[in-house]
Amino acid sequence: MSSTPSSNVVLDNEHLRTKILGYLPRPVLSGPPGTQVDSSLATARLVSKDFATSATPFALWETLASPLRLWLRIPALQNVGGKYTLVGNVTPSEEDWSNMLKYRHSVQEVHLNEEGVRDLDPLFVGSLEKYLAGKDAKGRILLPNLHTLSAMLHSAYDTAVLRLFLSPSVRTLKLFCAYPHEEPPHTREDLKVAEEELLRTIVRSIPNLEHLELDMVTYNSSLLAVGAFTELRRISLTDCGQLKEDPELIRVLAEMPLLEEIENLPVEFFQNDSQEPLKLSGFRKLKTLGVCGMVFFIPRLLATITGPLRTLVVRADWAGNASWEADFVELAQTLPSTVRSLKLDLCNWPEGLDYHLLRVLQPFLPVGRLEEVDVRFQKEPATAGVTLRVTDEDIQAVTQAWPGLRILSLDVQSDTSPTLRGLAAVATQCPALETLLLPQLRTAESAESAGEAAHRPVHRTLRRLSIYEPERLEIPAPEVAVSFLAHTFPALDREASLKVAERSYQSAKYIGDREAEARAQTPKYIAGQELWQRVIRAIPTNL
């Protein structure tokens, strides 16, 4: 007799049934009303009552983008095809809430953007609060298995909405506080009270938070509450409060026992009103540090770190600072011996200056232990005349100084281009390099001689090669580039290299998503991107 379970056994086994449904594609959850649910799950719901029960959580509750719309979709899924419907500003009854929240244990992510918060009108929120208030302490937690929560807050009302979603299970919290600063004084005071109370409530509600991102949190008194997160491992502070004037938060961060990563930390706090540097020590577990401000202050901060720092990210602001080169020298000399990754984000250059990459990196060349170097120069209207030239000589000097490099990324505006000669230097001097991202590339118009081709270096670890500015790409003879790359980098991953390198922007003051999208639609960008992809696709895969 066969030991294979019958189809009925499989269909009747809830664990097996749920496991099978887990492989079906998920629907798009953030679409407008009328968006179609994935037909596979909709069809699966029609098999039986048990299948309908098992399929609904997968179809609805993995990611919550707009809570009101999503809750009101459950009854609509009973229709073939599962079209979404909106009921409008209806105040649900307790029975309605019970049905709507039947699958709340499956929710793992909630993202409350501006539109999502606006969907939750006061009557709806009041009804939910009333429903939860009648439950015991455990039942009052709206989403008991929530892992990630992000929200954009514009008013005191928005902070009240956010409180509904706080859960002890949350491990990642991201808050963007876009409060209008032109509000009258009494309104600003209301916002301050709401913000401070929100942070205190978060501390009480999410005791085991591990990852916290705060953007434009206005009041330092709110920020000091983060010291209560004893499990916090990562924190990001973007345009938050008056940190430069109030160093107390830095003391709080230094004492956090498990903190491993800090992003966007201003460093001017190391000089207070008495002009005496702060004396503190800590950061015992810190592995990644991202700082912003004047380079002059960074060595003072590094001196306080007792943890195994591996990555230093410097958003270097040297507008009007004539001593920036000396500051870089001091920074290089004070880098902890554990640092292996250096990322420089250069901004606010005086207009009209013209530098070579090597001039910026020269102070760090003696730090030969670096394994990752990332240089980013973000162009602003005020610095439109600034360029950072990248030549073959720059590439040769950098790779010679750091033979252990695994990643080299150069996202800079340059009117000069590395050539295949620069790539040959990489192949000769950096045997462990795995990723190389250049501003652009220029290749020869004719093929090499037989003698030159015979002496090409071979590099067997580079997996990704790409460019940031395809509009400046110069490859007059694609077959020459294909031949060189195929021979020199036989391990190149074509899929990884096809995609043009993407820029990341840390502040709204710089080129944002809309400008980047507009740039990607220009004819020169598209033509350069297609040329690059044509070269990469032509590289043989079975050499």
mmCIF file of all heavy atoms in Angstrom, residues 277-321:
data_model
loop_
_atom_site.group_PDB
_atom_site.id
_atom_site.type_symbol
_atom_site.label_atom_id
_atom_site.label_comp_id
_atom_site.label_asym_id
_atom_site.label_seq_id
_atom_site.Cartn_x
_atom_site.Cartn_y
_atom_site.Cartn_z
ATOM 1 N N PRO A 277 36.445 70.750 24.955
ATOM 2 C CA PRO A 277 35.869 69.535 24.368
ATOM 3 C C PRO A 277 35.192 68.678 25.433
ATOM 4 O O PRO A 277 35.633 68.640 26.583
ATOM 5 C CB PRO A 277 37.084 68.821 23.760
ATOM 6 C CG PRO A 277 38.250 69.336 24.518
ATOM 7 C CD PRO A 277 37.917 70.761 24.877
ATOM 8 N N LEU A 278 34.117 68.011 25.042
ATOM 9 C CA LEU A 278 33.412 67.129 25.963
ATOM 10 C C LEU A 278 34.295 65.938 26.325
ATOM 11 O O LEU A 278 35.043 65.432 25.506
ATOM 12 C CB LEU A 278 32.115 66.628 25.319
ATOM 13 C CG LEU A 278 31.026 67.661 25.101
ATOM 14 C CD1 LEU A 278 29.883 67.021 24.320
ATOM 15 C CD2 LEU A 278 30.520 68.178 26.431
ATOM 16 N N LYS A 279 34.163 65.517 27.550
ATOM 17 C CA LYS A 279 34.908 64.347 28.006
ATOM 18 C C LYS A 279 33.921 63.218 28.249
ATOM 19 O O LYS A 279 33.116 63.261 29.167
ATOM 20 C CB LYS A 279 35.675 64.681 29.289
ATOM 21 C CG LYS A 279 36.747 65.744 29.104
ATOM 22 C CD LYS A 279 37.463 66.047 30.406
ATOM 23 C CE LYS A 279 38.523 67.119 30.198
ATOM 24 N NZ LYS A 279 39.243 67.448 31.462
ATOM 25 N N LEU A 280 33.985 62.221 27.402
ATOM 26 C CA LEU A 280 33.131 61.055 27.571
ATOM 27 C C LEU A 280 33.806 59.860 26.912
ATOM 28 O O LEU A 280 34.723 60.008 26.107
ATOM 29 C CB LEU A 280 31.740 61.290 26.984
ATOM 30 C CG LEU A 280 31.610 61.651 25.495
ATOM 31 C CD1 LEU A 280 31.516 60.398 24.640
ATOM 32 C CD2 LEU A 280 30.368 62.495 25.278
ATOM 33 N N SER A 281 33.349 58.681 27.288
ATOM 34 C CA SER A 281 33.907 57.459 26.740
ATOM 35 C C SER A 281 32.815 56.406 26.750
ATOM 36 O O SER A 281 31.966 56.381 27.637
ATOM 37 C CB SER A 281 35.112 56.992 27.570
ATOM 38 O OG SER A 281 35.635 55.791 27.049
ATOM 39 N N GLY A 282 32.806 55.561 25.744
ATOM 40 C CA GLY A 282 31.764 54.538 25.673
ATOM 41 C C GLY A 282 31.688 53.925 24.297
ATOM 42 O O GLY A 282 32.705 53.601 23.699
ATOM 43 N N PHE A 283 30.453 53.768 23.776
ATOM 44 C CA PHE A 283 30.229 53.141 22.467
ATOM 45 C C PHE A 283 30.943 51.777 22.426
ATOM 46 O O PHE A 283 31.692 51.480 21.500
ATOM 47 C CB PHE A 283 30.730 54.039 21.337
ATOM 48 C CG PHE A 283 30.126 55.409 21.316
ATOM 49 C CD1 PHE A 283 30.856 56.520 21.739
ATOM 50 C CD2 PHE A 283 28.823 55.605 20.896
ATOM 51 C CE1 PHE A 283 30.306 57.785 21.725
ATOM 52 C CE2 PHE A 283 28.254 56.879 20.884
ATOM 53 C CZ PHE A 283 29.004 57.969 21.304
ATOM 54 N N ARG A 284 30.683 50.942 23.418
ATOM 55 C CA ARG A 284 31.458 49.711 23.595
ATOM 56 C C ARG A 284 31.234 48.678 22.493
ATOM 57 O O ARG A 284 32.098 47.844 22.241
ATOM 58 C CB ARG A 284 31.134 49.094 24.953
ATOM 59 C CG ARG A 284 31.588 49.949 26.136
ATOM 60 C CD ARG A 284 31.349 49.242 27.457
ATOM 61 N NE ARG A 284 29.941 48.995 27.700
ATOM 62 C CZ ARG A 284 29.114 49.868 28.251
ATOM 63 N NH1 ARG A 284 29.559 51.068 28.594
ATOM 64 N NH2 ARG A 284 27.848 49.579 28.466
ATOM 65 N N LYS A 285 30.061 48.725 21.838
ATOM 66 C CA LYS A 285 29.751 47.733 20.803
ATOM 67 C C LYS A 285 29.740 48.336 19.399
ATOM 68 O O LYS A 285 29.412 47.643 18.431
ATOM 69 C CB LYS A 285 28.384 47.109 21.086
ATOM 70 C CG LYS A 285 28.287 46.337 22.391
ATOM 71 C CD LYS A 285 29.012 45.017 22.310
ATOM 72 C CE LYS A 285 28.764 44.200 23.569
ATOM 73 N NZ LYS A 285 29.436 42.883 23.499
ATOM 74 N N LEU A 286 30.103 49.600 19.273
ATOM 75 C CA LEU A 286 29.912 50.319 18.016
ATOM 76 C C LEU A 286 30.795 49.748 16.901
ATOM 77 O O LEU A 286 32.011 49.656 17.037
ATOM 78 C CB LEU A 286 30.227 51.803 18.210
ATOM 79 C CG LEU A 286 29.713 52.743 17.115
ATOM 80 C CD1 LEU A 286 28.195 52.702 17.049
ATOM 81 C CD2 LEU A 286 30.199 54.165 17.356
ATOM 82 N N LYS A 287 30.142 49.404 15.773
ATOM 83 C CA LYS A 287 30.846 48.875 14.605
ATOM 84 C C LYS A 287 30.779 49.823 13.410
ATOM 85 O O LYS A 287 31.698 49.842 12.591
ATOM 86 C CB LYS A 287 30.252 47.518 14.200
ATOM 87 C CG LYS A 287 30.401 46.438 15.257
ATOM 88 C CD LYS A 287 29.750 45.148 14.789
ATOM 89 C CE LYS A 287 29.863 44.071 15.856
ATOM 90 N NZ LYS A 287 29.195 42.804 15.429
ATOM 91 N N THR A 288 29.680 50.590 13.288
ATOM 92 C CA THR A 288 29.501 51.504 12.164
ATOM 93 C C THR A 288 29.117 52.877 12.696
ATOM 94 O O THR A 288 28.171 53.000 13.474
ATOM 95 C CB THR A 288 28.399 50.999 11.207
ATOM 96 O OG1 THR A 288 28.774 49.718 10.691
ATOM 97 C CG2 THR A 288 28.213 51.964 10.044
ATOM 98 N N LEU A 289 29.856 53.899 12.257
ATOM 99 C CA LEU A 289 29.594 55.266 12.698
ATOM 100 C C LEU A 289 29.467 56.176 11.488
ATOM 101 O O LEU A 289 30.381 56.254 10.660
ATOM 102 C CB LEU A 289 30.728 55.759 13.604
ATOM 103 C CG LEU A 289 30.664 57.243 14.017
ATOM 104 C CD1 LEU A 289 29.418 57.512 14.846
ATOM 105 C CD2 LEU A 289 31.918 57.632 14.785
ATOM 106 N N GLY A 290 28.340 56.866 11.382
ATOM 107 C CA GLY A 290 28.139 57.864 10.338
ATOM 108 C C GLY A 290 28.033 59.238 10.967
ATOM 109 O O GLY A 290 27.167 59.461 11.817
ATOM 110 N N VAL A 291 28.925 60.153 10.579
ATOM 111 C CA VAL A 291 28.953 61.485 11.180
ATOM 112 C C VAL A 291 28.783 62.545 10.099
ATOM 113 O O VAL A 291 29.072 62.310 8.925
ATOM 114 C CB VAL A 291 30.270 61.727 11.947
ATOM 115 C CG1 VAL A 291 30.380 60.784 13.122
ATOM 116 C CG2 VAL A 291 31.477 61.571 11.020
ATOM 117 N N CYS A 292 28.336 63.734 10.522
ATOM 118 C CA CYS A 292 28.187 64.840 9.588
ATOM 119 C C CYS A 292 28.659 66.116 10.265
ATOM 120 O O CYS A 292 28.564 66.263 11.486
ATOM 121 C CB CYS A 292 26.740 64.975 9.120
ATOM 122 S SG CYS A 292 25.528 65.121 10.451
ATOM 123 N N GLY A 293 29.174 67.046 9.455
ATOM 124 C CA GLY A 293 29.644 68.315 9.991
ATOM 125 C C GLY A 293 31.090 68.583 9.634
ATOM 126 O O GLY A 293 31.625 68.046 8.666
ATOM 127 N N MET A 294 31.752 69.400 10.424
ATOM 128 C CA MET A 294 33.134 69.787 10.168
ATOM 129 C C MET A 294 34.083 68.640 10.510
ATOM 130 O O MET A 294 34.013 68.066 11.602
ATOM 131 C CB MET A 294 33.499 71.020 10.986
ATOM 132 C CG MET A 294 32.631 72.242 10.678
ATOM 133 S SD MET A 294 32.867 72.854 8.988
ATOM 134 C CE MET A 294 34.518 73.528 9.114
ATOM 135 N N VAL A 295 34.982 68.328 9.589
ATOM 136 C CA VAL A 295 35.918 67.214 9.784
ATOM 137 C C VAL A 295 36.793 67.441 11.012
ATOM 138 O O VAL A 295 37.209 66.487 11.684
ATOM 139 C CB VAL A 295 36.787 67.042 8.517
ATOM 140 C CG1 VAL A 295 37.830 65.947 8.711
ATOM 141 C CG2 VAL A 295 35.896 66.735 7.317
ATOM 142 N N PHE A 296 37.043 68.696 11.341
ATOM 143 C CA PHE A 296 37.929 69.056 12.447
ATOM 144 C C PHE A 296 37.535 68.362 13.754
ATOM 145 O O PHE A 296 38.391 68.004 14.568
ATOM 146 C CB PHE A 296 37.903 70.581 12.633
ATOM 147 C CG PHE A 296 38.629 71.068 13.848
ATOM 148 C CD1 PHE A 296 40.015 71.161 13.850
ATOM 149 C CD2 PHE A 296 37.924 71.420 14.983
ATOM 150 C CE1 PHE A 296 40.683 71.613 14.975
ATOM 151 C CE2 PHE A 296 38.583 71.874 16.110
ATOM 152 C CZ PHE A 296 39.967 71.970 16.109
ATOM 153 N N PHE A 297 36.225 68.127 13.978
ATOM 154 C CA PHE A 297 35.758 67.590 15.244
ATOM 155 C C PHE A 297 35.763 66.066 15.294
ATOM 156 O O PHE A 297 35.646 65.484 16.376
ATOM 157 C CB PHE A 297 34.334 68.083 15.530
ATOM 158 C CG PHE A 297 34.237 69.560 15.753
ATOM 159 C CD1 PHE A 297 33.782 70.399 14.748
ATOM 160 C CD2 PHE A 297 34.594 70.119 16.965
ATOM 161 C CE1 PHE A 297 33.682 71.764 14.946
ATOM 162 C CE2 PHE A 297 34.502 71.483 17.178
ATOM 163 C CZ PHE A 297 34.053 72.310 16.168
ATOM 164 N N ILE A 298 35.869 65.397 14.154
ATOM 165 C CA ILE A 298 35.696 63.942 14.118
ATOM 166 C C ILE A 298 36.751 63.205 14.934
ATOM 167 O O ILE A 298 36.414 62.244 15.662
ATOM 168 C CB ILE A 298 35.661 63.444 12.660
ATOM 169 C CG1 ILE A 298 34.478 64.084 11.926
ATOM 170 C CG2 ILE A 298 35.547 61.923 12.608
ATOM 171 C CD1 ILE A 298 34.402 63.748 10.454
ATOM 172 N N PRO A 299 38.044 63.559 14.880
ATOM 173 C CA PRO A 299 39.023 62.833 15.709
ATOM 174 C C PRO A 299 38.677 62.840 17.195
ATOM 175 O O PRO A 299 38.966 61.866 17.902
ATOM 176 C CB PRO A 299 40.328 63.576 15.425
ATOM 177 C CG PRO A 299 40.155 64.132 14.051
ATOM 178 C CD PRO A 299 38.709 64.523 13.989
ATOM 179 N N ARG A 300 38.061 63.909 17.685
ATOM 180 C CA ARG A 300 37.677 63.964 19.089
ATOM 181 C C ARG A 300 36.621 62.912 19.408
ATOM 182 O O ARG A 300 36.647 62.298 20.485
ATOM 183 C CB ARG A 300 37.165 65.354 19.437
ATOM 184 C CG ARG A 300 38.160 66.465 19.109
ATOM 185 C CD ARG A 300 37.653 67.802 19.583
ATOM 186 N NE ARG A 300 38.520 68.889 19.111
ATOM 187 C CZ ARG A 300 38.421 70.150 19.517
ATOM 188 N NH1 ARG A 300 37.491 70.469 20.406
ATOM 189 N NH2 ARG A 300 39.227 71.068 19.050
ATOM 190 N N LEU A 301 35.699 62.728 18.499
ATOM 191 C CA LEU A 301 34.687 61.696 18.701
ATOM 192 C C LEU A 301 35.314 60.306 18.640
ATOM 193 O O LEU A 301 34.999 59.432 19.451
ATOM 194 C CB LEU A 301 33.586 61.831 17.648
ATOM 195 C CG LEU A 301 32.516 60.738 17.634
ATOM 196 C CD1 LEU A 301 31.793 60.668 18.982
ATOM 197 C CD2 LEU A 301 31.521 60.977 16.509
ATOM 198 N N LEU A 302 36.199 60.071 17.671
ATOM 199 C CA LEU A 302 36.829 58.756 17.536
ATOM 200 C C LEU A 302 37.585 58.373 18.798
ATOM 201 O O LEU A 302 37.666 57.189 19.154
ATOM 202 C CB LEU A 302 37.771 58.754 16.327
ATOM 203 C CG LEU A 302 37.117 58.918 14.944
ATOM 204 C CD1 LEU A 302 38.178 58.923 13.855
ATOM 205 C CD2 LEU A 302 36.100 57.815 14.692
ATOM 206 N N ALA A 303 38.132 59.366 19.488
ATOM 207 C CA ALA A 303 38.910 59.085 20.696
ATOM 208 C C ALA A 303 38.044 58.550 21.832
ATOM 209 O O ALA A 303 38.561 57.951 22.783
ATOM 210 C CB ALA A 303 39.632 60.353 21.152
ATOM 211 N N THR A 304 36.720 58.736 21.737
ATOM 212 C CA THR A 304 35.829 58.276 22.805
ATOM 213 C C THR A 304 35.336 56.854 22.591
ATOM 214 O O THR A 304 34.721 56.274 23.484
ATOM 215 C CB THR A 304 34.600 59.186 22.910
ATOM 216 O OG1 THR A 304 33.748 58.974 21.763
ATOM 217 C CG2 THR A 304 35.005 60.653 22.971
ATOM 218 N N ILE A 305 35.583 56.290 21.417
ATOM 219 C CA ILE A 305 34.997 54.996 21.052
ATOM 220 C C ILE A 305 35.891 53.860 21.540
ATOM 221 O O ILE A 305 37.073 53.775 21.184
ATOM 222 C CB ILE A 305 34.795 54.902 19.533
ATOM 223 C CG1 ILE A 305 33.803 55.972 19.080
ATOM 224 C CG2 ILE A 305 34.303 53.516 19.130
ATOM 225 C CD1 ILE A 305 33.633 56.067 17.581
ATOM 226 N N THR A 306 35.322 52.992 22.339
ATOM 227 C CA THR A 306 36.060 51.834 22.835
ATOM 228 C C THR A 306 35.672 50.553 22.120
ATOM 229 O O THR A 306 36.267 49.505 22.367
ATOM 230 C CB THR A 306 35.815 51.656 24.343
ATOM 231 O OG1 THR A 306 34.411 51.465 24.566
ATOM 232 C CG2 THR A 306 36.281 52.884 25.114
ATOM 233 N N GLY A 307 34.659 50.606 21.260
ATOM 234 C CA GLY A 307 34.180 49.415 20.563
ATOM 235 C C GLY A 307 34.972 49.109 19.308
ATOM 236 O O GLY A 307 35.843 49.870 18.886
ATOM 237 N N PRO A 308 34.660 47.970 18.672
ATOM 238 C CA PRO A 308 35.400 47.499 17.485
ATOM 239 C C PRO A 308 34.924 48.164 16.201
ATOM 240 O O PRO A 308 34.376 47.510 15.308
ATOM 241 C CB PRO A 308 35.107 46.000 17.479
ATOM 242 C CG PRO A 308 33.718 45.900 18.050
ATOM 243 C CD PRO A 308 33.610 46.994 19.079
ATOM 244 N N LEU A 309 35.137 49.473 16.058
ATOM 245 C CA LEU A 309 34.635 50.213 14.896
ATOM 246 C C LEU A 309 35.230 49.654 13.600
ATOM 247 O O LEU A 309 36.449 49.560 13.457
ATOM 248 C CB LEU A 309 34.986 51.694 15.032
ATOM 249 C CG LEU A 309 34.323 52.637 14.020
ATOM 250 C CD1 LEU A 309 32.826 52.688 14.256
ATOM 251 C CD2 LEU A 309 34.927 54.031 14.108
ATOM 252 N N ARG A 310 34.344 49.307 12.662
ATOM 253 C CA ARG A 310 34.780 48.750 11.379
ATOM 254 C C ARG A 310 34.528 49.704 10.213
ATOM 255 O O ARG A 310 35.290 49.726 9.250
ATOM 256 C CB ARG A 310 34.026 47.441 11.095
ATOM 257 C CG ARG A 310 34.310 46.317 12.047
ATOM 258 C CD ARG A 310 35.601 45.622 11.745
ATOM 259 N NE ARG A 310 35.615 45.008 10.419
ATOM 260 C CZ ARG A 310 36.657 44.320 9.934
ATOM 261 N NH1 ARG A 310 37.748 44.201 10.666
ATOM 262 N NH2 ARG A 310 36.611 43.796 8.731
ATOM 263 N N THR A 311 33.459 50.511 10.296
ATOM 264 C CA THR A 311 33.059 51.372 9.177
ATOM 265 C C THR A 311 32.878 52.798 9.665
ATOM 266 O O THR A 311 32.166 53.037 10.643
ATOM 267 C CB THR A 311 31.741 50.874 8.552
ATOM 268 O OG1 THR A 311 31.923 49.541 8.062
ATOM 269 C CG2 THR A 311 31.315 51.771 7.409
ATOM 270 N N LEU A 312 33.523 53.745 8.961
ATOM 271 C CA LEU A 312 33.364 55.165 9.258
ATOM 272 C C LEU A 312 32.799 55.853 8.022
ATOM 273 O O LEU A 312 33.379 55.788 6.935
ATOM 274 C CB LEU A 312 34.698 55.801 9.632
ATOM 275 C CG LEU A 312 34.656 57.318 9.914
ATOM 276 C CD1 LEU A 312 33.768 57.615 11.105
ATOM 277 C CD2 LEU A 312 36.057 57.871 10.117
ATOM 278 N N VAL A 313 31.647 56.509 8.192
ATOM 279 C CA VAL A 313 30.994 57.253 7.118
ATOM 280 C C VAL A 313 31.075 58.730 7.489
ATOM 281 O O VAL A 313 30.554 59.141 8.523
ATOM 282 C CB VAL A 313 29.529 56.824 6.945
ATOM 283 C CG1 VAL A 313 28.898 57.564 5.770
ATOM 284 C CG2 VAL A 313 29.422 55.317 6.753
ATOM 285 N N VAL A 314 31.719 59.526 6.637
ATOM 286 C CA VAL A 314 31.944 60.939 6.923
ATOM 287 C C VAL A 314 31.226 61.786 5.881
ATOM 288 O O VAL A 314 31.566 61.739 4.694
ATOM 289 C CB VAL A 314 33.449 61.287 6.924
ATOM 290 C CG1 VAL A 314 33.647 62.773 7.197
ATOM 291 C CG2 VAL A 314 34.181 60.443 7.956
ATOM 292 N N ARG A 315 30.239 62.530 6.314
ATOM 293 C CA ARG A 315 29.609 63.525 5.438
ATOM 294 C C ARG A 315 30.355 64.835 5.686
ATOM 295 O O ARG A 315 30.059 65.570 6.617
ATOM 296 C CB ARG A 315 28.123 63.663 5.736
ATOM 297 C CG ARG A 315 27.419 64.625 4.804
ATOM 298 C CD ARG A 315 25.908 64.572 4.992
ATOM 299 N NE ARG A 315 25.270 65.569 4.142
ATOM 300 C CZ ARG A 315 24.953 66.792 4.545
ATOM 301 N NH1 ARG A 315 25.227 67.182 5.779
ATOM 302 N NH2 ARG A 315 24.383 67.642 3.729
ATOM 303 N N ALA A 316 31.376 65.066 4.876
ATOM 304 C CA ALA A 316 32.337 66.130 5.133
ATOM 305 C C ALA A 316 31.842 67.464 4.591
ATOM 306 O O ALA A 316 31.701 67.649 3.381
ATOM 307 C CB ALA A 316 33.681 65.772 4.485
ATOM 308 N N ASP A 317 31.601 68.387 5.475
ATOM 309 C CA ASP A 317 31.135 69.723 5.129
ATOM 310 C C ASP A 317 32.273 70.699 5.407
ATOM 311 O O ASP A 317 32.586 70.998 6.556
ATOM 312 C CB ASP A 317 29.911 70.066 5.979
ATOM 313 C CG ASP A 317 29.303 71.410 5.609
ATOM 314 O OD1 ASP A 317 29.976 72.182 4.917
ATOM 315 O OD2 ASP A 317 28.157 71.662 6.010
ATOM 316 N N TRP A 318 32.910 71.193 4.325
ATOM 317 C CA TRP A 318 34.052 72.085 4.557
ATOM 318 C C TRP A 318 33.878 73.440 3.874
ATOM 319 O O TRP A 318 34.843 74.098 3.507
ATOM 320 C CB TRP A 318 35.364 71.470 4.119
ATOM 321 C CG TRP A 318 35.450 71.079 2.676
ATOM 322 C CD1 TRP A 318 35.324 71.876 1.589
ATOM 323 C CD2 TRP A 318 35.715 69.772 2.183
ATOM 324 N NE1 TRP A 318 35.482 71.157 0.436
ATOM 325 C CE2 TRP A 318 35.724 69.843 0.785
ATOM 326 C CE3 TRP A 318 35.937 68.537 2.778
ATOM 327 C CZ2 TRP A 318 35.959 68.744 -0.028
ATOM 328 C CZ3 TRP A 318 36.179 67.445 1.970
ATOM 329 C CH2 TRP A 318 36.177 67.557 0.588
ATOM 330 N N ALA A 319 32.651 73.891 3.698
ATOM 331 C CA ALA A 319 32.422 75.193 3.079
ATOM 332 C C ALA A 319 33.142 76.282 3.879
ATOM 333 O O ALA A 319 32.924 76.447 5.070
ATOM 334 C CB ALA A 319 30.929 75.500 3.020
ATOM 335 N N GLY A 320 34.014 77.006 3.205
ATOM 336 C CA GLY A 320 34.745 78.084 3.859
ATOM 337 C C GLY A 320 35.871 77.615 4.754
ATOM 338 O O GLY A 320 36.484 78.435 5.446
ATOM 339 N N ASN A 321 36.166 76.328 4.770
ATOM 340 C CA ASN A 321 37.217 75.804 5.638
ATOM 341 C C ASN A 321 38.489 75.596 4.831
ATOM 342 O O ASN A 321 38.655 74.596 4.141
ATOM 343 C CB ASN A 321 36.759 74.486 6.266
ATOM 344 C CG ASN A 321 37.818 73.905 7.195
ATOM 345 O OD1 ASN A 321 38.744 74.608 7.602
ATOM 346 N ND2 ASN A 321 37.672 72.636 7.519
#
